[in-house]
Amino acid sequence: MFDEVCNEVIRSRDLFTENVKDSFGNSISEELFQAFLNNIQSAKLYSDESNFKEGSIRFKLAELRLML
Amino acid sequence: MTIASVEYIEKLPHTIGEVTQAVSDFESKVQERLHLAEQLKDETEAEEQTSLGLLDLARGEEAAAQAALIAAEGHLAFLIAGAVENPALAFEIPVAMEAASKCREMLDIAKRHRELMEQRYQLAQECVMMATENLETLRLQLNAELIRTKETTAVQISRLSSAINELTGYSSESEHKYRSEYEKWEKYQHKEKEPIDPDEIRTRLNPGREVCLGLLAALRGKDDNFAKTISDYFEEGKTEEGRNQAILKIRKNMTGRLAEEVVKAALAPFGRHVETQKGYVFDDGTYTKIDLVVSDLVAPIILGRGQGMGAREGGSLGVEVKSGKGSYLMSQMGHLVFQAQGHTQCDVSCTICTRDVKDLNSSAEELLRENIRSAGSPILGMLPYKSELDDICIEFVFGGSGNV
């Protein structure tokens, strides 16, 4: 789900660093793009953890629905 | 102040747009993800209600079974007590016992079902708790990342915006500086009473990058077609592939124009009249245009050693301009010889070309020089190299590096 945004940011970063090749470019690459990518990665991780929990909940729901 | 080497200033606002879009997309994905967790929570709540309904039903069934058993057992007790005085009732006792046993069995079943429904309801409640907790945790985590992203990008976008403003300012400042350098160079005056010698001509033909950029800027200001061509190259160069195409066109068309304009502006101070593209009709009726004729020379001119290499004050100088690599100049030999014949109306003439002529092997260079000298218009390889002029034109169209 977050992979598309990740790719979008990577694409934009690559175009930017191709255009600005110096310490200013490196700094923006690190403080804007890398920070953004880290945030997306964290969000992805939280989402994956939640997927796991949601899987357990769905399993429990399926189990209780068999109780008739 | 940081040093920024930016290839395309105009791409920086695109970066801001892309990042802003990515933040917005990230926010949408966060909402989408939270919506999934919300849906599951809603589903567990609906299941909790269903389970509670089933539990209520099971409780009702158990209560009914309990009542049926009490009634059956009451009837049996009545029959047993009554049979002492009325033996006929004893015959009904087995049936009543059977009915009571059946009711006990039904009650057991109802009780087990109620217990199962209690378990189901308990599980459903656990699911609601888990889904609620999951949603709240996820909401906190994702919103925290989103807030962090928004804060970071706001700060960095503001930094980028400042850089764009400063670069744009620098760019206009640079153009102003180049134009002023060009204007100074253009207003050159030859020292009175002194002949114009090859060193002075060479110096004039090599004005440097800033003057050339200023010359191009001035040309853009007064020639709408040229301005449109520059704008077209710039637009075409917005994509990677388009840029390569535009650079090819610049090398092919614009560099030649720059060379001509440099020669025209460099030699103009040596005469009182300057004409470009002056038509000349040969005896056989064929027609050509001379790139530049500088007439009423302000001083005697010496193009080099040998006969036919000079003209007196008041005389005229005819010039053909060619820019290109050695192989291209070589391929133009026939054309240059033909053009040189058109210069015969001038007191002295020359073919000014880029320094690339010196890169030809010595026999090829000698052949080219000799043929054109014989035609009456010796070669002066005094302009900068074609590649240097190419780079200036490319920098003019697409911009170069700047200080931020």
Side-chain angles (χ1 to χ4, degrees), chain A residues 1-2 4-5 8-9 12 15-16 18-24 27-28 31-33 35-36 39-40 42-43 46-47 49-51 53-54 56-58 60-61 64-65 67-68, chain B residues 3-8 11-12 18-19 22 25-26 29 32-33 37 40 43-44 47 113 116-117 120 123-124 126-127 130-131 134 138 141-142 145 149 152-153 156 159 163 240:
Chain A
M1 178 174 274
F2 293 101
E4 288 166 34
V5 192
E8 210 178 316
V9 176
S12 181
L15 284 173
F16 175 80
E18 200 178 289
N19 188 27
V20 189
K21 291 171 181 151
D22 56 18
S23 57
F24 173 72
S27 157
I28 290 281
E31 289 168 45
L32 171 62
F33 292 107
F36 195 170
N39 295 340
I40 300 172
S42 299
Y46 296 138
S47 173
E49 281 173 5
S50 182
N51 275 341
K53 286 183 201 166
E54 285 162 21
S56 305
I57 296 167
R58 290 200 176 282
K60 249 186 213 304
L61 281 177
L64 71 87
R65 280 171 183 150
M67 296 177 174
L68 290 168
Chain B
I3 299 300
S5 172
V6 180
E7 203 169 347
Y8 303 97
K11 272 191 183 176
L12 291 179
E18 285 163 3
V19 170
D25 292 346
F26 183 37
K29 293 292 175 191
E32 209 177 300
R33 184 62 189 85
L40 181 60
E43 200 180 321
T44 57
E47 185 52 55
H113 186 241
L116 188 67
M117 289 307 102
R120 175 177 172 142
L123 271 175
E126 278 175 29
C127 286
M130 283 169 74
N134 175 58
L138 192 61
Q141 290 170 329
L142 294 187
E145 293 308 322
T149 303
T152 312
T153 49
Q156 298 303 321
R159 235 181 116 196
E240 202 70 34

Coordinates of all heavy atoms in Angstrom, one line a residue, chain A residues 1-2 4-5 8-9 12 15-16 18-24 27-28 31-33 35-36 39-40 42-43 46-47 49-51 53-54 56-58 60-61 64-65 67-68, chain B residues 3-8 11-12 18-19 22 25-26 29 32-33 37 40 43-44 47 113 116-117 120 123-124 126-127 130-131 134 138 141-142 145 149 152-153 156 159 163 240:
Chain A
M1 N 0.8 -1.2 0.0 CA 0.0 0.0 0.0 C 0.9 1.3 0.0 O 0.6 2.2 -0.7 CB -0.9 0.0 1.2 CG -1.7 1.2 1.4 SD -2.9 1.1 2.7 CE -4.2 0.3 2.0
F2 N 1.9 1.2 0.8 CA 2.8 2.4 0.9 C 3.9 2.3 -0.2 O 4.7 3.3 -0.3 CB 3.4 2.6 2.3 CG 2.3 2.9 3.3 CD1 1.8 2.0 4.1 CD2 1.8 4.2 3.4 CE1 0.8 2.3 5.0 CE2 0.8 4.6 4.3 CZ 0.3 3.6 5.1
E4 N 3.8 2.4 -3.4 CA 3.6 3.4 -4.5 C 4.2 4.7 -4.1 O 4.9 5.4 -4.9 CB 2.1 3.6 -4.8 CG 1.5 2.4 -5.5 CD 0.0 2.5 -5.5 OE1 -0.5 3.6 -5.6 OE2 -0.6 1.4 -5.4
V5 N 3.9 5.2 -2.9 CA 4.4 6.5 -2.4 C 5.9 6.4 -2.3 O 6.6 7.4 -2.6 CB 3.8 6.9 -1.0 CG1 4.1 8.3 -0.7 CG2 2.3 6.6 -1.0
E8 N 7.3 6.8 -5.6 CA 7.1 8.2 -6.1 C 8.2 9.1 -5.5 O 8.8 9.9 -6.2 CB 5.8 8.6 -5.5 CG 5.0 9.7 -6.2 CD 3.7 9.9 -5.5 OE1 3.0 9.0 -5.1 OE2 3.3 11.1 -5.4
V9 N 8.5 8.9 -4.2 CA 9.5 9.7 -3.5 C 10.9 9.4 -4.1 O 11.7 10.3 -4.3 CB 9.5 9.5 -2.0 CG1 10.6 10.3 -1.3 CG2 8.1 9.9 -1.4
S12 N 11.3 11.0 -7.5 CA 11.5 12.4 -7.3 C 12.9 12.7 -6.8 O 13.6 13.7 -7.2 CB 10.5 13.0 -6.4 OG 10.6 14.3 -6.2
L15 N 15.5 12.3 -9.6 CA 15.5 13.4 -10.6 C 16.2 14.6 -9.9 O 16.9 15.3 -10.6 CB 14.1 13.7 -10.9 CG 13.4 12.8 -11.9 CD1 11.9 13.1 -12.1 CD2 14.1 12.8 -13.3
F16 N 15.9 14.8 -8.6 CA 16.4 16.0 -7.9 C 18.0 15.8 -7.9 O 18.7 16.8 -8.2 CB 15.8 16.1 -6.5 CG 16.5 17.2 -5.7 CD1 16.1 18.5 -5.9 CD2 17.5 16.9 -4.8 CE1 16.7 19.5 -5.2 CE2 18.0 17.9 -4.1 CZ 17.6 19.2 -4.3
E18 N 19.9 14.2 -9.6 CA 20.5 14.3 -11.0 C 20.7 15.8 -11.4 O 21.6 16.1 -12.1 CB 19.6 13.6 -12.0 CG 20.2 13.2 -13.3 CD 19.2 12.4 -14.1 OE1 18.8 11.3 -13.8 OE2 18.8 13.0 -15.1
N19 N 19.7 16.5 -10.9 CA 19.7 18.0 -11.3 C 20.6 18.8 -10.4 O 21.3 19.8 -10.8 CB 18.3 18.5 -11.1 CG 18.1 19.9 -11.7 OD1 18.8 20.3 -12.5 ND2 17.1 20.6 -11.1
V20 N 20.7 18.4 -9.1 CA 21.5 19.2 -8.1 C 22.6 18.3 -7.5 O 22.3 17.5 -6.7 CB 20.6 19.8 -7.0 CG1 21.4 20.8 -6.1 CG2 19.4 20.5 -7.6
K21 N 23.8 18.5 -8.1 CA 24.9 17.6 -7.7 C 25.9 18.4 -6.8 O 26.9 18.8 -7.3 CB 25.6 17.1 -8.9 CG 24.7 16.1 -9.7 CD 25.4 15.7 -11.0 CE 24.5 14.8 -11.8 NZ 24.7 14.9 -13.2
D22 N 25.6 18.6 -5.6 CA 26.5 19.3 -4.7 C 26.0 19.1 -3.2 O 25.1 18.3 -2.9 CB 26.6 20.8 -5.0 CG 25.2 21.4 -5.0 OD1 24.3 20.8 -4.4 OD2 25.0 22.5 -5.6
S23 N 26.7 19.8 -2.3 CA 26.4 19.6 -0.9 C 24.9 20.1 -0.6 O 24.3 19.4 0.2 CB 27.3 20.4 0.0 OG 27.2 21.8 -0.4
F24 N 24.4 21.1 -1.3 CA 23.0 21.5 -1.1 C 22.1 20.3 -1.5 O 21.2 20.0 -0.8 CB 22.7 22.7 -1.9 CG 21.3 23.2 -1.9 CD1 20.7 23.7 -0.8 CD2 20.5 23.0 -3.0 CE1 19.4 24.1 -0.8 CE2 19.2 23.4 -3.0 CZ 18.6 23.9 -1.9
S27 N 22.3 17.5 1.0 CA 21.6 17.9 2.2 C 20.1 17.7 2.1 O 19.4 17.1 2.9 CB 22.0 19.3 2.6 OG 21.0 19.8 3.5
I28 N 19.6 18.2 0.9 CA 18.1 18.1 0.7 C 17.7 16.6 0.5 O 16.7 16.1 1.0 CB 17.7 18.9 -0.6 CG1 17.8 20.4 -0.3 CG2 16.3 18.5 -1.1 CD1 16.7 21.0 0.5
E31 N 17.8 15.2 4.2 CA 16.9 15.8 5.1 C 15.5 15.8 4.6 O 14.5 15.9 5.4 CB 17.3 17.2 5.6 CG 18.6 17.2 6.4 CD 19.2 18.5 6.6 OE1 18.5 19.5 6.9 OE2 20.5 18.6 6.4
L32 N 15.3 15.8 3.3 CA 13.9 15.8 2.8 C 13.5 14.4 2.4 O 12.7 13.7 3.0 CB 13.8 16.8 1.7 CG 12.4 16.7 0.9 CD1 11.3 17.1 1.8 CD2 12.5 17.7 -0.3
F33 N 14.2 13.9 1.4 CA 13.8 12.6 0.7 C 14.1 11.4 1.7 O 13.2 10.6 1.8 CB 14.6 12.4 -0.6 CG 14.1 13.4 -1.6 CD1 14.9 14.5 -2.0 CD2 12.8 13.3 -2.2 CE1 14.5 15.4 -3.0 CE2 12.4 14.2 -3.2 CZ 13.2 15.2 -3.6
A35 N 14.5 11.4 4.9 CA 13.6 11.5 6.1 C 12.2 11.0 5.7 O 11.5 10.3 6.4 CB 13.6 12.9 6.6
F36 N 11.7 11.5 4.6 CA 10.4 11.1 4.1 C 10.3 9.6 3.9 O 9.3 8.9 4.3 CB 10.2 11.8 2.7 CG 8.7 11.9 2.3 CD1 8.4 12.7 1.2 CD2 7.7 11.1 2.9 CE1 7.1 12.8 0.7 CE2 6.4 11.2 2.4 CZ 6.1 12.0 1.3
N39 N 10.0 7.8 7.1 CA 8.7 7.9 7.7 C 7.7 6.9 7.0 O 6.9 6.2 7.6 CB 8.1 9.3 7.5 CG 8.9 10.3 8.3 OD1 9.6 10.0 9.2 ND2 8.8 11.6 7.9
I40 N 7.9 6.8 5.7 CA 7.0 5.9 4.9 C 7.3 4.4 5.3 O 6.5 3.6 5.5 CB 7.2 6.0 3.4 CG1 6.8 7.5 3.0 CG2 6.3 5.1 2.7 CD1 7.1 7.8 1.5
S42 N 8.5 3.4 8.2 CA 7.9 3.2 9.5 C 6.4 2.9 9.4 O 5.9 2.0 10.0 CB 8.1 4.4 10.4 OG 9.5 4.6 10.6
A43 N 5.8 3.7 8.6 CA 4.3 3.5 8.4 C 4.0 2.1 7.8 O 3.1 1.5 8.2 CB 3.8 4.6 7.5
Y46 N 4.4 -0.4 10.6 CA 3.2 -0.4 11.5 C 2.0 -1.0 10.8 O 1.2 -1.7 11.4 CB 2.8 1.1 11.9 CG 3.9 1.7 12.7 CD1 4.3 3.1 12.5 CD2 4.6 1.0 13.8 CE1 5.3 3.7 13.3 CE2 5.5 1.7 14.5 CZ 5.9 3.0 14.3 OH 6.8 3.6 15.0
S47 N 1.9 -0.8 9.5 CA 0.8 -1.3 8.8 C 0.9 -2.8 8.7 O -0.1 -3.6 8.9 CB 0.8 -0.7 7.4 OG -0.1 -1.4 6.6
E49 N 2.5 -4.8 10.9 CA 2.1 -5.3 12.3 C 0.6 -5.4 12.4 O 0.1 -6.3 13.0 CB 2.7 -4.3 13.3 CG 4.2 -4.5 13.5 CD 4.8 -3.5 14.5 OE1 4.0 -2.7 15.0 OE2 6.0 -3.5 14.6
S50 N 0.0 -4.3 12.0 CA -1.5 -4.3 12.1 C -2.1 -5.4 11.2 O -3.1 -6.0 11.7 CB -2.0 -2.9 11.7 OG -3.3 -2.8 11.8
N51 N -1.6 -5.6 10.1 CA -2.1 -6.7 9.2 C -2.1 -8.0 10.0 O -3.0 -8.8 9.9 CB -1.2 -6.8 8.0 CG -1.5 -5.9 6.9 OD1 -2.7 -5.4 6.9 ND2 -0.6 -5.6 6.0
K53 N -2.1 -8.4 13.2 CA -3.2 -8.4 14.3 C -4.5 -8.6 13.7 O -5.4 -9.4 14.2 CB -3.2 -7.1 15.0 CG -2.0 -6.9 16.0 CD -2.1 -5.6 16.7 CE -0.8 -5.1 17.2 NZ -0.8 -3.7 17.6
E54 N -4.8 -8.0 12.5 CA -6.1 -8.1 11.9 C -6.3 -9.5 11.4 O -7.5 -10.0 11.4 CB -6.2 -7.1 10.7 CG -6.4 -5.6 11.2 CD -6.0 -4.6 10.2 OE1 -6.0 -4.9 9.0 OE2 -5.8 -3.4 10.6
S56 N -5.3 -12.2 13.0 CA -5.7 -12.9 14.2 C -7.2 -12.7 14.5 O -7.9 -13.6 14.8 CB -4.9 -12.5 15.4 OG -3.6 -12.6 15.1
I57 N -7.6 -11.4 14.4 CA -9.0 -11.0 14.6 C -9.9 -11.7 13.7 O -10.9 -12.3 14.0 CB -9.1 -9.5 14.6 CG1 -8.3 -8.8 15.7 CG2 -10.6 -9.1 14.7 CD1 -8.1 -7.3 15.6
R58 N -9.5 -11.7 12.4 CA -10.4 -12.3 11.4 C -10.5 -13.9 11.6 O -11.5 -14.5 11.4 CB -9.8 -12.1 10.0 CG -10.0 -10.7 9.5 CD -9.9 -10.4 8.0 NE -10.1 -9.0 7.8 CZ -11.3 -8.5 7.8 NH1 -12.4 -9.3 8.0 NH2 -11.5 -7.2 7.5
K60 N -10.3 -15.3 14.6 CA -11.2 -15.5 15.7 C -12.6 -15.3 15.3 O -13.5 -16.0 15.7 CB -10.9 -14.4 16.7 CG -10.2 -14.9 18.0 CD -10.1 -13.7 19.0 CE -8.9 -13.8 19.9 NZ -8.8 -15.0 20.7
L61 N -12.9 -14.3 14.4 CA -14.3 -14.1 13.9 C -14.8 -15.3 13.2 O -15.9 -15.8 13.4 CB -14.3 -12.9 13.0 CG -14.3 -11.5 13.6 CD1 -14.3 -10.4 12.5 CD2 -15.5 -11.3 14.5
L64 N -15.5 -18.1 15.8 CA -16.8 -17.9 16.5 C -18.0 -18.0 15.7 O -19.1 -18.4 16.2 CB -16.8 -16.6 17.3 CG -16.9 -15.2 16.6 CD1 -18.4 -14.8 16.4 CD2 -16.2 -14.1 17.4
R65 N -17.9 -17.7 14.4 CA -19.0 -17.9 13.5 C -19.4 -19.3 13.3 O -20.5 -19.6 12.8 CB -18.8 -17.2 12.2 CG -19.0 -15.7 12.2 CD -18.5 -14.9 11.0 NE -18.7 -13.5 11.2 CZ -17.9 -12.6 10.6 NH1 -16.9 -13.0 9.8 NH2 -18.1 -11.3 10.8
M67 N -19.6 -21.3 15.8 CA -20.3 -21.7 17.0 C -21.8 -21.4 16.8 O -22.2 -20.2 16.9 CB -19.8 -20.8 18.2 CG -18.4 -21.1 18.5 SD -17.9 -20.0 19.9 CE -16.3 -20.6 20.2
L68 N -22.5 -22.4 16.5 CA -24.0 -22.2 16.3 C -24.8 -23.1 17.2 O -24.3 -24.1 17.7 CB -24.3 -22.6 14.8 CG -23.7 -21.5 13.8 CD1 -23.8 -22.1 12.4 CD2 -24.4 -20.2 13.9
Chain B
I3 N 27.0 26.6 -1.8 CA 27.2 26.5 -3.3 C 26.2 25.5 -3.8 O 26.1 24.4 -3.3 CB 28.6 26.1 -3.6 CG1 29.6 27.1 -3.0 CG2 28.8 26.0 -5.1 CD1 29.5 28.5 -3.6
A4 N 25.5 25.9 -4.8 CA 24.5 25.0 -5.5 C 24.8 24.8 -6.9 O 24.8 25.8 -7.6 CB 23.1 25.5 -5.3
S5 N 25.1 23.6 -7.3 CA 25.3 23.4 -8.8 C 24.0 22.8 -9.3 O 23.7 21.6 -9.2 CB 26.5 22.4 -8.9 OG 26.6 22.1 -10.3
V6 N 23.2 23.6 -9.9 CA 21.9 23.2 -10.4 C 21.9 23.2 -11.9 O 22.3 24.2 -12.6 CB 20.8 24.2 -9.9 CG1 19.4 23.8 -10.4 CG2 20.8 24.2 -8.4
E7 N 21.5 22.1 -12.5 CA 21.6 22.0 -14.0 C 20.4 22.7 -14.6 O 20.5 23.5 -15.5 CB 21.6 20.5 -14.4 CG 22.1 20.3 -15.7 CD 22.4 18.9 -16.1 OE1 22.4 18.0 -15.2 OE2 22.6 18.6 -17.2
Y8 N 19.2 22.4 -14.0 CA 18.0 23.1 -14.5 C 17.3 23.8 -13.3 O 16.7 23.1 -12.5 CB 17.0 22.1 -15.0 CG 17.5 21.2 -16.2 CD1 17.9 20.0 -15.9 CD2 17.4 21.7 -17.5 CE1 18.4 19.1 -17.0 CE2 17.8 20.9 -18.5 CZ 18.3 19.6 -18.2 OH 18.7 18.8 -19.3
K11 N 13.6 23.0 -12.9 CA 13.1 21.7 -12.5 C 12.9 21.7 -10.9 O 12.2 20.8 -10.4 CB 14.2 20.6 -12.8 CG 14.0 20.0 -14.1 CD 14.9 18.8 -14.2 CE 14.8 18.2 -15.6 NZ 15.8 17.0 -15.7
L12 N 13.5 22.7 -10.2 CA 13.3 22.7 -8.8 C 11.8 22.9 -8.4 O 11.4 22.2 -7.4 CB 14.2 23.8 -8.2 CG 15.7 23.5 -8.3 CD1 16.5 24.6 -7.7 CD2 16.0 22.2 -7.6
E18 N 6.3 17.7 -6.8 CA 6.3 16.2 -6.7 C 6.3 15.8 -5.2 O 5.5 14.9 -4.8 CB 7.6 15.7 -7.3 CG 7.5 15.6 -8.8 CD 8.9 15.4 -9.4 OE1 9.9 15.3 -8.7 OE2 9.0 15.5 -10.7
V19 N 7.1 16.6 -4.4 CA 7.1 16.2 -2.9 C 5.7 16.5 -2.3 O 5.2 15.7 -1.5 CB 8.2 17.0 -2.2 CG1 8.1 16.8 -0.7 CG2 9.6 16.5 -2.7
A22 N 3.5 13.8 -3.2 CA 3.8 12.6 -2.5 C 3.3 12.7 -1.0 O 2.8 11.7 -0.5 CB 5.3 12.4 -2.5
D25 N -0.3 12.1 -1.3 CA -0.6 10.6 -1.5 C -0.3 9.8 -0.3 O -1.1 8.8 0.0 CB 0.3 10.1 -2.7 CG -0.1 10.7 -4.0 OD1 -1.2 11.3 -4.1 OD2 0.7 10.7 -5.0
F26 N 0.7 10.2 0.5 CA 1.0 9.5 1.7 C -0.2 9.6 2.7 O -0.6 8.6 3.3 CB 2.3 10.1 2.3 CG 2.8 9.4 3.6 CD1 2.7 8.0 3.7 CD2 3.4 10.1 4.6 CE1 3.1 7.4 4.9 CE2 3.8 9.5 5.8 CZ 3.7 8.1 5.9
K29 N -2.9 7.4 1.6 CA -2.7 6.0 1.9 C -2.9 5.7 3.4 O -3.4 4.6 3.8 CB -1.2 5.6 1.5 CG -1.0 5.6 0.0 CD -1.8 4.5 -0.7 CE -1.7 4.6 -2.2 NZ -2.6 3.7 -2.9
E32 N -6.5 5.5 3.9 CA -7.0 4.3 3.3 C -6.7 3.1 4.3 O -7.6 2.2 4.5 CB -6.2 4.0 2.0 CG -7.0 3.3 1.0 CD -6.1 3.2 -0.3 OE1 -5.8 4.3 -0.9 OE2 -5.8 2.1 -0.7
R33 N -5.5 3.1 4.8 CA -5.1 2.0 5.8 C -5.9 2.1 7.0 O -6.4 1.0 7.5 CB -3.6 2.2 6.1 CG -3.0 1.1 7.0 CD -3.1 -0.2 6.2 NE -2.8 -1.4 7.0 CZ -3.7 -2.0 7.8 NH1 -5.0 -1.6 7.9 NH2 -3.4 -3.1 8.5
A37 N -8.7 -0.7 9.0 CA -8.8 -1.1 10.4 C -10.1 -0.7 11.0 O -10.7 -1.5 11.8 CB -7.6 -0.4 11.1
L40 N -12.7 -3.3 10.0 CA -12.7 -4.5 10.7 C -13.3 -4.3 12.1 O -14.0 -5.2 12.6 CB -11.2 -4.9 10.9 CG -11.0 -6.2 11.7 CD1 -11.7 -7.4 11.0 CD2 -9.5 -6.6 11.8
E43 N -16.9 -4.4 11.8 CA -17.3 -5.8 11.6 C -17.4 -6.6 12.9 O -18.3 -7.3 13.1 CB -16.3 -6.5 10.6 CG -16.8 -7.7 9.9 CD -15.8 -8.4 9.0 OE1 -15.1 -7.6 8.3 OE2 -15.8 -9.6 9.0
T44 N -16.4 -6.3 13.8 CA -16.4 -7.0 15.1 C -17.5 -6.6 15.9 O -18.2 -7.4 16.6 CB -15.0 -6.8 15.8 OG1 -14.8 -5.4 16.0 CG2 -13.9 -7.4 15.1
E47 N -20.6 -8.2 14.8 CA -20.5 -9.6 15.2 C -20.9 -9.7 16.7 O -21.6 -10.7 17.1 CB -19.2 -10.2 14.9 CG -19.0 -11.7 15.2 CD -20.1 -12.5 14.5 OE1 -20.3 -12.4 13.3 OE2 -20.9 -13.2 15.2
H113 N -26.0 -25.2 24.7 CA -26.1 -24.2 23.7 C -25.9 -22.8 24.2 O -25.2 -21.9 23.7 CB -27.4 -24.3 22.9 CG -27.5 -23.4 21.7 ND1 -28.4 -22.4 21.6 CD2 -26.7 -23.3 20.6 CE1 -28.2 -21.7 20.5 NE2 -27.2 -22.3 19.9
L116 N -22.4 -22.3 25.0 CA -21.6 -22.0 23.7 C -21.8 -20.6 23.2 O -20.9 -19.9 22.8 CB -22.1 -23.0 22.6 CG -21.3 -23.0 21.3 CD1 -19.9 -23.6 21.6 CD2 -22.0 -23.9 20.3
M117 N -23.1 -20.2 23.3 CA -23.4 -18.8 22.9 C -22.7 -17.8 23.8 O -22.3 -16.7 23.3 CB -24.9 -18.5 22.9 CG -25.6 -19.3 21.8 SD -24.9 -19.0 20.1 CE -23.9 -20.5 19.8
R120 N -19.2 -17.7 22.6 CA -19.2 -16.9 21.3 C -19.2 -15.4 21.6 O -18.5 -14.6 21.0 CB -20.4 -17.3 20.4 CG -20.5 -16.5 19.1 CD -21.6 -17.0 18.3 NE -21.8 -16.0 17.1 CZ -22.1 -16.4 15.9 NH1 -22.3 -17.6 15.6 NH2 -22.2 -15.5 15.0
L123 N -16.0 -14.3 22.9 CA -15.0 -14.1 21.8 C -15.2 -12.9 21.0 O -14.3 -12.2 20.6 CB -15.0 -15.4 20.9 CG -14.2 -16.6 21.3 CD1 -14.5 -17.7 20.3 CD2 -12.7 -16.2 21.2
A124 N -16.5 -12.6 20.7 CA -16.9 -11.5 19.9 C -16.4 -10.2 20.6 O -15.9 -9.2 20.0 CB -18.4 -11.5 19.6
E126 N -14.0 -10.0 22.7 CA -12.5 -9.9 22.6 C -12.1 -9.3 21.3 O -11.2 -8.5 21.2 CB -11.9 -11.3 22.8 CG -11.8 -11.7 24.2 CD -11.3 -13.2 24.3 OE1 -10.6 -13.6 23.4 OE2 -11.6 -13.9 25.3
C127 N -12.8 -9.8 20.2 CA -12.5 -9.3 18.9 C -12.7 -7.8 18.8 O -11.9 -7.0 18.2 CB -13.4 -10.0 17.8 SG -12.9 -11.6 17.5
M130 N -9.8 -6.1 20.6 CA -8.6 -6.2 19.8 C -8.6 -5.3 18.6 O -7.6 -4.5 18.3 CB -8.4 -7.7 19.3 CG -7.9 -8.6 20.3 SD -8.0 -10.3 19.8 CE -6.6 -10.3 18.6
A131 N -9.8 -5.2 17.9 CA -9.9 -4.4 16.7 C -9.8 -2.9 17.1 O -9.2 -2.1 16.4 CB -11.2 -4.7 16.0
N134 N -6.3 -2.1 18.1 CA -5.4 -2.1 16.9 C -5.7 -0.8 16.1 O -4.7 -0.2 15.7 CB -5.8 -3.3 16.0 CG -5.1 -3.3 14.7 OD1 -3.9 -3.3 14.6 ND2 -5.9 -3.2 13.6
L138 N -2.8 1.9 15.6 CA -2.4 2.3 14.2 C -2.6 3.7 13.9 O -1.8 4.4 13.2 CB -3.2 1.4 13.2 CG -2.7 1.4 11.8 CD1 -1.3 0.8 11.7 CD2 -3.6 0.5 10.9
Q141 N 0.2 5.7 15.5 CA 1.5 5.5 14.8 C 1.5 6.2 13.4 O 2.5 6.9 13.1 CB 1.7 4.0 14.6 CG 2.0 3.3 15.9 CD 2.0 1.8 15.7 OE1 1.3 1.2 14.9 NE2 2.8 1.1 16.6
L142 N 0.5 5.9 12.6 CA 0.5 6.5 11.2 C 0.4 8.0 11.3 O 1.0 8.7 10.5 CB -0.6 5.9 10.4 CG -0.5 4.4 10.1 CD1 -1.6 4.0 9.1 CD2 0.8 4.0 9.5
E145 N 3.7 9.5 12.0 CA 4.6 9.5 10.9 C 4.2 10.6 9.8 O 5.0 11.3 9.3 CB 4.6 8.2 10.2 CG 5.2 7.0 11.0 CD 6.6 7.4 11.5 OE1 7.4 8.0 10.8 OE2 6.9 7.0 12.7
T149 N 6.3 13.8 8.7 CA 6.6 14.0 7.3 C 6.2 15.4 6.9 O 6.9 16.1 6.2 CB 5.8 13.0 6.4 OG1 6.1 11.7 6.8 CG2 6.0 13.2 5.0
T152 N 8.7 17.9 8.4 CA 10.0 17.9 7.7 C 9.9 18.5 6.3 O 10.7 19.3 5.9 CB 10.5 16.4 7.5 OG1 10.3 15.8 8.7 CG2 11.9 16.4 7.0
T153 N 8.9 18.1 5.5 CA 8.8 18.6 4.2 C 8.5 20.1 4.1 O 9.0 20.8 3.3 CB 7.7 17.8 3.4 OG1 6.5 17.8 4.1 CG2 8.1 16.4 3.0
Q156 N 11.9 21.7 4.6 CA 12.8 21.5 3.5 C 12.2 22.2 2.2 O 13.0 22.7 1.4 CB 13.0 20.0 3.2 CG 13.7 19.3 4.4 CD 15.0 19.9 4.8 OE1 15.8 20.4 3.9 NE2 15.3 20.0 6.1
R159 N 13.2 25.6 2.4 CA 14.6 25.8 2.0 C 14.7 25.8 0.5 O 15.5 26.5 -0.1 CB 15.3 24.5 2.6 CG 16.5 24.9 3.4 CD 17.1 23.6 3.9 NE 18.5 23.5 3.4 CZ 19.1 22.4 3.4 NH1 18.6 21.3 3.8 NH2 20.4 22.4 2.9
A163 N 16.1 28.6 -2.1 CA 17.1 28.3 -3.1 C 16.7 28.8 -4.5 O 17.4 29.4 -5.3 CB 17.5 26.9 -3.1
E240 N 14.4 14.5 -20.9 CA 15.8 14.0 -21.2 C 16.1 13.9 -22.7 O 17.1 14.3 -23.2 CB 15.9 12.7 -20.4 CG 17.4 12.3 -20.1 CD 18.0 13.2 -19.1 OE1 17.2 13.6 -18.1 OE2 19.2 13.5 -19.2

